[in-house]
Amino acid sequence: MDDQGCPRCKTTKYRNPSLKLMVNVCGHTLCESCVDMLFVRGSGNCVQCDTPLRKSNFRVQLFEDPAVDKEVEIRKKVLKIYNKRDFDFSNLREYNDYLERVEEIVYNLTNNLEVEGTKQIMEAYQRENRDIIQKNKAKLTREQEELEELLLLEQQGNEQRRLETLQEEQRQLQAKRKSKQALLDELERSHVPATILLAQHKDRAAQLETQIEKQKQVVKTTIFSTGIPMGQTVSLLTVNRLEEVLYHYQPIHMHTYGPPVPELEQLGRLGYLNHVRTAQPQDMAGGYNSGLACHRAIQDAFSGLFHPLG
Amino acid sequence: MKLNIEGLLVYFPYDYIYPEQYSYMLELKRTLDAKGHGVLEMPSGTGKTISLLSLIVAYQREYPLEVTKLIYCSRTVPEIEKVVEELRKLMEFYSKETGEKNNILALALSSRKNLCVHPEVSSLRFGKEVDGKCHSLTASYIRAQRHSNPSLPSCRFYEEFDAMGKQVPLPAGVYNLDDLKDFGRRKGWCPYYLARYSILHANIIVYSYHYLLDPKIADLVSKELSKKSVVVFDEAHNIDNVCIDSMSVNITRRTLDRSQANVETLQNTILKIKETDAAKLKEEYRRLVEGLKEANVARETDIYMSNPVLPDEILQEAVPGSIRTAEHFVGFMKRFLEYLKARLRIHHVVQESAPQFLKDIFEKVCIDRKPLRFCAERLRSLLRTLEIADIADFSAITLISNFATLVSTYSKGFTIIIEPFEDRTPTIANPVLHFSCMDPSIAIKPVFERFQSVIITSGTLSPLDIYPRILDFRPVTVASFTMTLARTCLCPLVVGRGNDQVAMTSKFETREDFAVIRNYGNLLLEMSAIVPDGIVAFFTSYTYMENIVASWYEQGILENVQRNKLIFIETPDAAETSMALEKYQEACENGRGAILLSVARGKVSEGIDFVHHFGRAVIMFGVPYVYTQSRILKARLEYLRDQFQIRENDFLTFDAMRHAAQCVGRAIRGKTDYGLMIFADKRYARADKRGKLPRWIQEHLTDGSLNLTIDETVQLSKHFLRQMAHSIHDISNCNVQCFCQLNLSQEDQLGLSLLTLEQLQSEDMLQKIAQIAHQA
């Protein structure tokens, strides 16, 4: 990195360690001070390739090879538009083809091959797929989701561990303070000679110490040897079988207080069906026939026809 | 001798057997019967290897359908060779006893470096170079090119093997590395590929840990081994560290720069290929679109199959569209590299988890998790398509891609630590990104799941219960065996004070203390006067050793020591150390006597044996704790506490004690051997430390040998050495001081620590044997 320098003022990283190199969309570098000087008015042309550039588009160069900076910039832009996920495709093959097309576009734009044509393709794509692009903006790919989940788990684990150690320390500190206080109290009140008390205290302190040491050594196990995490309750008791009476269907008996409602089977024979629209083949596919609707309508019509008043 | 172990007929190639060997076999048999895993500890020098081999081979013969294969993993090439020699002895015994030709195929496997017979390739010095060169001669596409252009160089051994070697299986027998090479030379076949091909139908394989544990290599070599295999990890006390190392990645600025160069090469190659042979790239593209796994044909010779453990479902899926074409992938790698570079440009230490890293990388350079996960796979495919012959150059980018795959695959068990400088040189910027594995069970899990029995064994595995916990498996047998001895030939002593009653310890607060250093010096001086032949002294670290030796020199202690013995020092340089060792042995050999100052966890402490007069006393100066301030270690300790409920202190002590035990165990390499083990630190006397030593040492550590002063130590040592110098006959029936040093004869041991078949079958001996195994 030491031998890198600004192509305009020829300052190198070696001579000026605080040199900041910037890179714009064309992939050519300039140092920060040159950028400030050349682009006072906010825009200008690249020193090397004469592309019109804007000052606000200058980025700090992250990589040694400015071409990679440029490519990443382009790629981010392209990926904003081409943001279909693997579940938008019916099979893997199509998804892979799509990925390759994206890669092709990035490659062309980076290496200045058929820039105009590529841009047109992009625009066309954007117009066609506006909805999907909008929809996928917030979505992550499945793998990224997995990663996020892992990171979250990791974070939780670390936090847990930190808290545990913190609590442990607190507890120990308190225990020590308590024993000290107890000694002072005893010295104040008790009639036993101080030396004995002190000796007792020393004993107790030593005991406490060993106890703490022991506790420290007992590492909490978090999973059983079978791989099942602790805390997750796994009941090994057999599940009691509930003895219940089986449900028995009883047909509803409707009371219409009037003439009997014709049965579903009879509808055709009695000529009711002649007066309703016959079912289309599409409707029949799902199990529908015109009798069903007709029957319901007739049931509706009959029910409550002769309802006794009062 | 033929043994009956719970109904199993075991051929044992020696006329006598140690009782603990019998007991060991008993436990082993039960483990195999249960088809479970086992942890077995038995002191070094009691014949672990032969017990293991003879029992498992017998089991294989008895139940060929239950156990089809024995996979014996050891650490180093010499150890592998030793195992093969024992096996050869066993096989000879078999054919002599049964009279029939046995049909067991056993072979050792090692890297190309050790097995290559190609005149040019084998003369290269480094393993990586050999691999690269071999690959450039034998890769599938190179061979395909040769069809059109026969003038390209080739490896005739591989060609020959490929043409002929696969039809005829390797004839049954025992092959060590040299045998394989001989066989290969004779037939004109490549021994390396022959061995790799033959392990599929071999009955016994002996190779290094890495072939099973390192996911990159295991995938390549050990993928198709059958489930009904018994896996043995010998000298496994360090197995958790091996596991962790195989999964961790360290990235420095240099790695990044080299990968940057790699990426540029890739880019240029792609451009070139596009002009000349665009069809090839298209073909690759088509394959990736289809999500087809590469055909199995080309796999064997292509090293690119190195694959950090990936869940299978991912491997079945197609490569994501964003890195499908070559250019896009190169752009992707570039972004990733630039991101890493930016991360390395920091001034303070950062520690974060894998999810945090992934989130940040998405925000900064819009890299999703999924393409990252396919990174290693994709790079391999690209390298193959581009037909890059010399893959050694691309190790940097391969490392980076492996890192990408690992970091996006595992959300747990790993941590990322970025340090701007080394702790020792806080002013020099030298940023390192450690992607460190904290859970050894991740690497070893496939092994436990895949094979029906896995045996972990070593001389020092105490405390036994910790290994199942950190490796996360359930053993069916956990046992520790002690050494039955005809005489107490080891004498552990804990020296806690100097003659001036100042406590001796390498505790951080007092390690610079003048009195402690002087006392350590006095101890060494006194011991050098009374111990015959060789003394090995271990320090806790190189820096500590340097400090102490410097102040000994100033105090004139070294000069006094040198009147008694020569002094040799181990250094971090391997060549210097082996030189020092050689001279040390020479000095011991010709009676001058010598002292070797070395370091726990160093080369000497792990692999070198000091039999008989090469090590009559081992002095352990201090407790060899690891450097506890390292952030990687801290992260690992935290992980152990949270996940496995192992307290920091417990683990640190366990780690220190296993290394201490390894160090002092160097001196006793058998029952006829004898040696002093001096622990020079008062902390060893504490119950929590003492209790973590192996049982065979603990047994001899009585209350009378704890917290001694230097004077007392000298008294006890003198007594012990004088006793040992006699043969047993002399002690019991002659009063005359006899200074001749006799080796323990067999008659003395018979019936006590050495058994014949008849003795073994006697009732009370069987009862005794039952007590040897100490079930943990």
Side-chain angles (χ1 to χ4, degrees), chain B residues 112 116 118-122 124 129-144 146 151-159 193 301 303 388-390:
Chain B
R112 288 185 176 83
C116 186
H118 190 276
E120 280 169 39
V121 179
S122 58
L124 292 171
E129 289 175 354
V130 177
D131 288 352
K133 188 81 182 147
C134 176
H135 184 257
S136 70
L137 290 175
T138 58
S140 55
Y141 50 79
I142 302 238
R143 297 179 59 226
R146 207 173 298 124
S151 65
L152 287 168
S154 72
C155 172
R156 68 188 162 88
F157 294 101
Y158 181 76
E159 296 300 330
Y193 283 103
T301 49
I303 316 182
I388 289 165
D390 200 2

mmCIF file of all heavy atoms in Angstrom, chain B residues 112 116 118-122 124 129-144 146 151-159 193 301 303 388-390:
data_model
loop_
_atom_site.group_PDB
_atom_site.id
_atom_site.type_symbol
_atom_site.label_atom_id
_atom_site.label_comp_id
_atom_site.label_asym_id
_atom_site.label_seq_id
_atom_site.Cartn_x
_atom_site.Cartn_y
_atom_site.Cartn_z
ATOM 1 N N ARG B 112 4.667 -39.450 -2.812
ATOM 2 C CA ARG B 112 5.430 -39.697 -4.036
ATOM 3 C C ARG B 112 6.926 -39.570 -3.771
ATOM 4 O O ARG B 112 7.734 -40.284 -4.327
ATOM 5 C CB ARG B 112 5.041 -38.675 -5.098
ATOM 6 C CG ARG B 112 3.669 -38.879 -5.671
ATOM 7 C CD ARG B 112 3.473 -37.893 -6.790
ATOM 8 N NE ARG B 112 2.195 -38.072 -7.462
ATOM 9 C CZ ARG B 112 1.052 -37.562 -7.033
ATOM 10 N NH1 ARG B 112 1.035 -36.866 -5.922
ATOM 11 N NH2 ARG B 112 -0.068 -37.756 -7.700
ATOM 12 N N CYS B 116 8.692 -42.628 -5.479
ATOM 13 C CA CYS B 116 8.929 -42.442 -6.906
ATOM 14 C C CYS B 116 10.200 -43.166 -7.359
ATOM 15 O O CYS B 116 11.204 -43.170 -6.655
ATOM 16 C CB CYS B 116 9.041 -40.953 -7.211
ATOM 17 S SG CYS B 116 9.164 -40.630 -8.956
ATOM 18 N N HIS B 118 11.026 -42.796 -10.820
ATOM 19 C CA HIS B 118 11.404 -42.099 -12.048
ATOM 20 C C HIS B 118 12.752 -41.424 -11.811
ATOM 21 O O HIS B 118 12.924 -40.693 -10.836
ATOM 22 C CB HIS B 118 10.333 -41.062 -12.384
ATOM 23 C CG HIS B 118 10.503 -40.457 -13.744
ATOM 24 N ND1 HIS B 118 11.347 -39.409 -13.962
ATOM 25 C CD2 HIS B 118 9.944 -40.750 -14.932
ATOM 26 C CE1 HIS B 118 11.291 -39.091 -15.248
ATOM 27 N NE2 HIS B 118 10.439 -39.892 -15.859
ATOM 28 N N PRO B 119 13.744 -41.671 -12.676
ATOM 29 C CA PRO B 119 15.097 -41.201 -12.391
ATOM 30 C C PRO B 119 15.200 -39.686 -12.167
ATOM 31 O O PRO B 119 15.947 -39.255 -11.287
ATOM 32 C CB PRO B 119 15.900 -41.646 -13.619
ATOM 33 C CG PRO B 119 14.897 -42.031 -14.646
ATOM 34 C CD PRO B 119 13.669 -42.424 -13.919
ATOM 35 N N GLU B 120 14.461 -38.901 -12.931
ATOM 36 C CA GLU B 120 14.591 -37.457 -12.778
ATOM 37 C C GLU B 120 13.744 -36.936 -11.616
ATOM 38 O O GLU B 120 14.217 -36.184 -10.773
ATOM 39 C CB GLU B 120 14.116 -36.745 -14.053
ATOM 40 C CG GLU B 120 15.141 -36.724 -15.158
ATOM 41 C CD GLU B 120 14.500 -36.260 -16.449
ATOM 42 O OE1 GLU B 120 13.670 -35.341 -16.372
ATOM 43 O OE2 GLU B 120 14.808 -36.837 -17.506
ATOM 44 N N VAL B 121 12.493 -37.384 -11.615
ATOM 45 C CA VAL B 121 11.563 -36.839 -10.633
ATOM 46 C C VAL B 121 12.011 -37.184 -9.216
ATOM 47 O O VAL B 121 11.985 -36.347 -8.317
ATOM 48 C CB VAL B 121 10.149 -37.383 -10.887
ATOM 49 C CG1 VAL B 121 9.182 -36.838 -9.864
ATOM 50 C CG2 VAL B 121 9.687 -37.027 -12.277
ATOM 51 N N SER B 122 12.475 -38.423 -9.017
ATOM 52 C CA SER B 122 12.793 -38.843 -7.658
ATOM 53 C C SER B 122 14.014 -38.125 -7.109
ATOM 54 O O SER B 122 14.266 -38.152 -5.916
ATOM 55 C CB SER B 122 13.008 -40.353 -7.618
ATOM 56 O OG SER B 122 14.042 -40.696 -8.498
ATOM 57 N N LEU B 124 14.444 -34.961 -7.113
ATOM 58 C CA LEU B 124 14.078 -33.642 -6.567
ATOM 59 C C LEU B 124 14.055 -33.704 -5.050
ATOM 60 O O LEU B 124 13.809 -34.749 -4.464
ATOM 61 C CB LEU B 124 12.710 -33.218 -7.099
ATOM 62 C CG LEU B 124 12.690 -32.908 -8.594
ATOM 63 C CD1 LEU B 124 11.278 -32.725 -9.069
ATOM 64 C CD2 LEU B 124 13.508 -31.668 -8.874
ATOM 65 N N GLU B 129 7.782 -30.431 -4.944
ATOM 66 C CA GLU B 129 8.355 -30.444 -6.287
ATOM 67 C C GLU B 129 8.102 -31.783 -6.960
ATOM 68 O O GLU B 129 7.744 -31.839 -8.138
ATOM 69 C CB GLU B 129 9.870 -30.198 -6.225
ATOM 70 C CG GLU B 129 10.235 -28.790 -5.862
ATOM 71 C CD GLU B 129 11.741 -28.629 -5.686
ATOM 72 O OE1 GLU B 129 12.473 -29.641 -5.745
ATOM 73 O OE2 GLU B 129 12.159 -27.488 -5.476
ATOM 74 N N VAL B 130 8.279 -32.851 -6.172
ATOM 75 C CA VAL B 130 8.066 -34.181 -6.739
ATOM 76 C C VAL B 130 6.621 -34.317 -7.196
ATOM 77 O O VAL B 130 6.348 -34.765 -8.318
ATOM 78 C CB VAL B 130 8.410 -35.276 -5.705
ATOM 79 C CG1 VAL B 130 8.117 -36.642 -6.267
ATOM 80 C CG2 VAL B 130 9.854 -35.173 -5.299
ATOM 81 N N ASP B 131 5.690 -33.884 -6.321
ATOM 82 C CA ASP B 131 4.275 -33.969 -6.679
ATOM 83 C C ASP B 131 3.987 -33.200 -7.961
ATOM 84 O O ASP B 131 3.313 -33.700 -8.862
ATOM 85 C CB ASP B 131 3.403 -33.396 -5.553
ATOM 86 C CG ASP B 131 3.375 -34.306 -4.358
ATOM 87 O OD1 ASP B 131 3.906 -35.429 -4.482
ATOM 88 O OD2 ASP B 131 2.849 -33.912 -3.315
ATOM 89 N N GLY B 132 4.525 -31.968 -8.009
ATOM 90 C CA GLY B 132 4.252 -31.124 -9.169
ATOM 91 C C GLY B 132 4.794 -31.721 -10.451
ATOM 92 O O GLY B 132 4.124 -31.771 -11.482
ATOM 93 N N LYS B 133 6.014 -32.224 -10.356
ATOM 94 C CA LYS B 133 6.662 -32.778 -11.541
ATOM 95 C C LYS B 133 5.918 -34.031 -12.008
ATOM 96 O O LYS B 133 5.687 -34.223 -13.207
ATOM 97 C CB LYS B 133 8.121 -33.105 -11.183
ATOM 98 C CG LYS B 133 8.972 -33.512 -12.338
ATOM 99 C CD LYS B 133 9.458 -32.299 -13.122
ATOM 100 C CE LYS B 133 10.259 -32.788 -14.303
ATOM 101 N NZ LYS B 133 10.172 -31.964 -15.471
ATOM 102 N N CYS B 134 5.577 -34.850 -11.039
ATOM 103 C CA CYS B 134 4.863 -36.081 -11.364
ATOM 104 C C CYS B 134 3.557 -35.740 -12.059
ATOM 105 O O CYS B 134 3.196 -36.332 -13.062
ATOM 106 C CB CYS B 134 4.588 -36.876 -10.090
ATOM 107 S SG CYS B 134 3.613 -38.343 -10.364
ATOM 108 N N HIS B 135 2.902 -34.745 -11.496
ATOM 109 C CA HIS B 135 1.618 -34.357 -12.061
ATOM 110 C C HIS B 135 1.769 -33.864 -13.489
ATOM 111 O O HIS B 135 0.940 -34.135 -14.349
ATOM 112 C CB HIS B 135 1.006 -33.278 -11.180
ATOM 113 C CG HIS B 135 -0.355 -32.875 -11.622
ATOM 114 N ND1 HIS B 135 -0.575 -31.725 -12.305
ATOM 115 C CD2 HIS B 135 -1.535 -33.494 -11.500
ATOM 116 C CE1 HIS B 135 -1.852 -31.650 -12.581
ATOM 117 N NE2 HIS B 135 -2.456 -32.702 -12.103
ATOM 118 N N SER B 136 2.849 -33.124 -13.734
ATOM 119 C CA SER B 136 3.038 -32.576 -15.078
ATOM 120 C C SER B 136 3.348 -33.679 -16.091
ATOM 121 O O SER B 136 3.304 -33.460 -17.286
ATOM 122 C CB SER B 136 4.141 -31.538 -15.072
ATOM 123 O OG SER B 136 5.376 -32.163 -14.874
ATOM 124 N N LEU B 137 3.678 -34.871 -15.593
ATOM 125 C CA LEU B 137 3.939 -35.976 -16.517
ATOM 126 C C LEU B 137 2.737 -36.907 -16.672
ATOM 127 O O LEU B 137 2.583 -37.571 -17.685
ATOM 128 C CB LEU B 137 5.128 -36.807 -16.017
ATOM 129 C CG LEU B 137 6.501 -36.141 -16.096
ATOM 130 C CD1 LEU B 137 7.546 -37.036 -15.464
ATOM 131 C CD2 LEU B 137 6.866 -35.831 -17.524
ATOM 132 N N THR B 138 1.892 -36.958 -15.633
ATOM 133 C CA THR B 138 0.883 -38.012 -15.646
ATOM 134 C C THR B 138 -0.553 -37.520 -15.643
ATOM 135 O O THR B 138 -1.463 -38.336 -15.660
ATOM 136 C CB THR B 138 1.056 -38.924 -14.418
ATOM 137 O OG1 THR B 138 0.944 -38.108 -13.247
ATOM 138 C CG2 THR B 138 2.382 -39.606 -14.418
ATOM 139 N N ALA B 139 -0.787 -36.212 -15.586
ATOM 140 C CA ALA B 139 -2.168 -35.737 -15.528
ATOM 141 C C ALA B 139 -2.928 -36.192 -16.763
ATOM 142 O O ALA B 139 -2.363 -36.332 -17.842
ATOM 143 C CB ALA B 139 -2.196 -34.220 -15.425
ATOM 144 N N SER B 140 -4.215 -36.386 -16.580
ATOM 145 C CA SER B 140 -4.989 -37.030 -17.648
ATOM 146 C C SER B 140 -4.972 -36.231 -18.946
ATOM 147 O O SER B 140 -4.824 -36.787 -20.029
ATOM 148 C CB SER B 140 -6.432 -37.225 -17.183
ATOM 149 O OG SER B 140 -6.952 -35.992 -16.768
ATOM 150 N N TYR B 141 -5.056 -34.891 -18.851
ATOM 151 C CA TYR B 141 -5.123 -34.120 -20.094
ATOM 152 C C TYR B 141 -3.763 -34.063 -20.791
ATOM 153 O O TYR B 141 -3.675 -33.983 -21.997
ATOM 154 C CB TYR B 141 -5.666 -32.719 -19.841
ATOM 155 C CG TYR B 141 -4.987 -31.979 -18.720
ATOM 156 C CD1 TYR B 141 -3.767 -31.382 -18.898
ATOM 157 C CD2 TYR B 141 -5.612 -31.886 -17.480
ATOM 158 C CE1 TYR B 141 -3.165 -30.715 -17.863
ATOM 159 C CE2 TYR B 141 -5.025 -31.222 -16.455
ATOM 160 C CZ TYR B 141 -3.789 -30.622 -16.638
ATOM 161 O OH TYR B 141 -3.198 -29.977 -15.626
ATOM 162 N N ILE B 142 -2.697 -34.161 -19.976
ATOM 163 C CA ILE B 142 -1.375 -34.188 -20.595
ATOM 164 C C ILE B 142 -1.216 -35.457 -21.409
ATOM 165 O O ILE B 142 -0.683 -35.476 -22.515
ATOM 166 C CB ILE B 142 -0.280 -34.124 -19.514
ATOM 167 C CG1 ILE B 142 -0.492 -32.869 -18.700
ATOM 168 C CG2 ILE B 142 1.104 -34.258 -20.113
ATOM 169 C CD1 ILE B 142 0.614 -31.920 -18.650
ATOM 170 N N ARG B 143 -1.750 -36.528 -20.811
ATOM 171 C CA ARG B 143 -1.641 -37.795 -21.522
ATOM 172 C C ARG B 143 -2.514 -37.776 -22.773
ATOM 173 O O ARG B 143 -2.175 -38.373 -23.783
ATOM 174 C CB ARG B 143 -2.018 -38.945 -20.594
ATOM 175 C CG ARG B 143 -1.049 -39.018 -19.422
ATOM 176 C CD ARG B 143 -1.397 -40.120 -18.464
ATOM 177 N NE ARG B 143 -1.404 -41.412 -19.100
ATOM 178 C CZ ARG B 143 -2.376 -42.292 -18.922
ATOM 179 N NH1 ARG B 143 -3.396 -42.005 -18.155
ATOM 180 N NH2 ARG B 143 -2.336 -43.453 -19.520
ATOM 181 N N ALA B 144 -3.636 -37.063 -22.656
ATOM 182 C CA ALA B 144 -4.502 -36.957 -23.821
ATOM 183 C C ALA B 144 -3.807 -36.163 -24.934
ATOM 184 O O ALA B 144 -3.881 -36.521 -26.111
ATOM 185 C CB ALA B 144 -5.807 -36.275 -23.432
ATOM 186 N N ARG B 146 -0.766 -36.098 -25.448
ATOM 187 C CA ARG B 146 0.325 -36.872 -26.023
ATOM 188 C C ARG B 146 -0.138 -37.755 -27.179
ATOM 189 O O ARG B 146 0.646 -38.123 -28.037
ATOM 190 C CB ARG B 146 0.973 -37.715 -24.926
ATOM 191 C CG ARG B 146 2.430 -38.027 -25.226
ATOM 192 C CD ARG B 146 3.093 -38.719 -24.067
ATOM 193 N NE ARG B 146 3.110 -37.885 -22.881
ATOM 194 C CZ ARG B 146 2.593 -38.264 -21.715
ATOM 195 N NH1 ARG B 146 2.037 -39.439 -21.577
ATOM 196 N NH2 ARG B 146 2.657 -37.462 -20.687
ATOM 197 N N SER B 151 5.732 -36.393 -28.894
ATOM 198 C CA SER B 151 7.068 -35.960 -28.482
ATOM 199 C C SER B 151 7.078 -35.424 -27.061
ATOM 200 O O SER B 151 8.136 -35.197 -26.482
ATOM 201 C CB SER B 151 7.574 -34.881 -29.442
ATOM 202 O OG SER B 151 6.750 -33.749 -29.308
ATOM 203 N N LEU B 152 5.897 -35.224 -26.461
ATOM 204 C CA LEU B 152 5.852 -34.703 -25.090
ATOM 205 C C LEU B 152 6.475 -35.709 -24.130
ATOM 206 O O LEU B 152 6.395 -36.912 -24.349
ATOM 207 C CB LEU B 152 4.404 -34.428 -24.697
ATOM 208 C CG LEU B 152 3.759 -33.212 -25.361
ATOM 209 C CD1 LEU B 152 2.282 -33.233 -25.103
ATOM 210 C CD2 LEU B 152 4.380 -31.938 -24.836
ATOM 211 N N PRO B 153 7.085 -35.207 -23.068
ATOM 212 C CA PRO B 153 7.711 -36.143 -22.117
ATOM 213 C C PRO B 153 6.651 -36.937 -21.360
ATOM 214 O O PRO B 153 5.535 -36.469 -21.152
ATOM 215 C CB PRO B 153 8.466 -35.216 -21.166
ATOM 216 C CG PRO B 153 7.750 -33.916 -21.249
ATOM 217 C CD PRO B 153 7.249 -33.812 -22.654
ATOM 218 N N SER B 154 7.003 -38.132 -20.982
ATOM 219 C CA SER B 154 6.044 -38.947 -20.234
ATOM 220 C C SER B 154 6.795 -39.731 -19.181
ATOM 221 O O SER B 154 8.020 -39.804 -19.171
ATOM 222 C CB SER B 154 5.342 -39.915 -21.176
ATOM 223 O OG SER B 154 6.244 -40.922 -21.570
ATOM 224 N N CYS B 155 6.037 -40.315 -18.271
ATOM 225 C CA CYS B 155 6.648 -41.171 -17.258
ATOM 226 C C CYS B 155 6.364 -42.610 -17.682
ATOM 227 O O CYS B 155 5.224 -43.045 -17.678
ATOM 228 C CB CYS B 155 6.051 -40.876 -15.894
ATOM 229 S SG CYS B 155 6.564 -42.027 -14.630
ATOM 230 N N ARG B 156 7.403 -43.335 -18.064
ATOM 231 C CA ARG B 156 7.141 -44.655 -18.619
ATOM 232 C C ARG B 156 6.623 -45.598 -17.547
ATOM 233 O O ARG B 156 5.887 -46.538 -17.819
ATOM 234 C CB ARG B 156 8.402 -45.224 -19.271
ATOM 235 C CG ARG B 156 9.501 -45.559 -18.324
ATOM 236 C CD ARG B 156 10.767 -45.920 -19.069
ATOM 237 N NE ARG B 156 11.920 -45.833 -18.195
ATOM 238 C CZ ARG B 156 12.337 -46.844 -17.434
ATOM 239 N NH1 ARG B 156 11.702 -47.999 -17.465
ATOM 240 N NH2 ARG B 156 13.381 -46.692 -16.653
ATOM 241 N N PHE B 157 6.955 -45.323 -16.277
ATOM 242 C CA PHE B 157 6.473 -46.187 -15.209
ATOM 243 C C PHE B 157 4.970 -46.083 -15.075
ATOM 244 O O PHE B 157 4.267 -47.068 -14.928
ATOM 245 C CB PHE B 157 7.149 -45.809 -13.894
ATOM 246 C CG PHE B 157 8.614 -46.071 -13.893
ATOM 247 C CD1 PHE B 157 9.517 -45.041 -14.092
ATOM 248 C CD2 PHE B 157 9.095 -47.358 -13.708
ATOM 249 C CE1 PHE B 157 10.863 -45.290 -14.095
ATOM 250 C CE2 PHE B 157 10.442 -47.610 -13.712
ATOM 251 C CZ PHE B 157 11.342 -46.568 -13.917
ATOM 252 N N TYR B 158 4.492 -44.847 -15.169
ATOM 253 C CA TYR B 158 3.055 -44.688 -15.033
ATOM 254 C C TYR B 158 2.335 -45.291 -16.225
ATOM 255 O O TYR B 158 1.318 -45.971 -16.072
ATOM 256 C CB TYR B 158 2.687 -43.212 -14.877
ATOM 257 C CG TYR B 158 1.198 -43.053 -14.706
ATOM 258 C CD1 TYR B 158 0.609 -43.357 -13.491
ATOM 259 C CD2 TYR B 158 0.400 -42.668 -15.766
ATOM 260 C CE1 TYR B 158 -0.752 -43.269 -13.331
ATOM 261 C CE2 TYR B 158 -0.968 -42.581 -15.608
ATOM 262 C CZ TYR B 158 -1.544 -42.875 -14.387
ATOM 263 O OH TYR B 158 -2.893 -42.805 -14.236
ATOM 264 N N GLU B 159 2.880 -45.033 -17.423
ATOM 265 C CA GLU B 159 2.241 -45.552 -18.624
ATOM 266 C C GLU B 159 2.140 -47.068 -18.559
ATOM 267 O O GLU B 159 1.114 -47.661 -18.853
ATOM 268 C CB GLU B 159 3.034 -45.145 -19.880
ATOM 269 C CG GLU B 159 3.080 -43.650 -20.110
ATOM 270 C CD GLU B 159 1.692 -43.048 -20.278
ATOM 271 O OE1 GLU B 159 0.792 -43.750 -20.773
ATOM 272 O OE2 GLU B 159 1.507 -41.880 -19.885
ATOM 273 N N TYR B 193 1.441 -45.228 -7.702
ATOM 274 C CA TYR B 193 0.086 -45.487 -8.156
ATOM 275 C C TYR B 193 -0.304 -46.939 -7.948
ATOM 276 O O TYR B 193 -1.464 -47.255 -7.696
ATOM 277 C CB TYR B 193 -0.092 -45.067 -9.621
ATOM 278 C CG TYR B 193 -0.227 -43.586 -9.732
ATOM 279 C CD1 TYR B 193 0.818 -42.798 -10.158
ATOM 280 C CD2 TYR B 193 -1.412 -42.964 -9.365
ATOM 281 C CE1 TYR B 193 0.700 -41.422 -10.215
ATOM 282 C CE2 TYR B 193 -1.543 -41.602 -9.417
ATOM 283 C CZ TYR B 193 -0.495 -40.823 -9.845
ATOM 284 O OH TYR B 193 -0.621 -39.478 -9.894
ATOM 285 N N THR B 301 -5.378 -39.249 -11.504
ATOM 286 C CA THR B 301 -4.087 -38.569 -11.531
ATOM 287 C C THR B 301 -4.202 -37.080 -11.246
ATOM 288 O O THR B 301 -3.201 -36.404 -11.175
ATOM 289 C CB THR B 301 -3.437 -38.734 -12.902
ATOM 290 O OG1 THR B 301 -4.414 -38.404 -13.871
ATOM 291 C CG2 THR B 301 -2.937 -40.130 -13.085
ATOM 292 N N ILE B 303 -4.617 -33.979 -9.094
ATOM 293 C CA ILE B 303 -4.498 -33.671 -7.675
ATOM 294 C C ILE B 303 -5.573 -32.699 -7.237
ATOM 295 O O ILE B 303 -5.789 -32.490 -6.078
ATOM 296 C CB ILE B 303 -3.132 -33.059 -7.381
ATOM 297 C CG1 ILE B 303 -2.073 -33.846 -8.106
ATOM 298 C CG2 ILE B 303 -2.831 -33.093 -5.904
ATOM 299 C CD1 ILE B 303 -0.716 -33.357 -7.832
ATOM 300 N N ILE B 388 -3.341 -26.383 -16.648
ATOM 301 C CA ILE B 388 -2.120 -25.848 -16.064
ATOM 302 C C ILE B 388 -1.357 -27.019 -15.456
ATOM 303 O O ILE B 388 -1.862 -27.720 -14.576
ATOM 304 C CB ILE B 388 -2.455 -24.789 -15.020
ATOM 305 C CG1 ILE B 388 -2.966 -23.565 -15.755
ATOM 306 C CG2 ILE B 388 -1.242 -24.446 -14.186
ATOM 307 C CD1 ILE B 388 -3.645 -22.575 -14.910
ATOM 308 N N ALA B 389 -0.191 -27.241 -15.973
ATOM 309 C CA ALA B 389 0.540 -28.446 -15.594
ATOM 310 C C ALA B 389 1.191 -28.292 -14.226
ATOM 311 O O ALA B 389 1.136 -29.193 -13.402
ATOM 312 C CB ALA B 389 1.589 -28.769 -16.639
ATOM 313 N N ASP B 390 1.792 -27.158 -13.996
ATOM 314 C CA ASP B 390 2.571 -27.036 -12.784
ATOM 315 C C ASP B 390 1.706 -26.484 -11.669
ATOM 316 O O ASP B 390 1.607 -25.278 -11.469
ATOM 317 C CB ASP B 390 3.755 -26.107 -13.050
ATOM 318 C CG ASP B 390 4.822 -26.343 -12.011
ATOM 319 O OD1 ASP B 390 4.621 -27.227 -11.157
ATOM 320 O OD2 ASP B 390 5.843 -25.645 -12.054
#
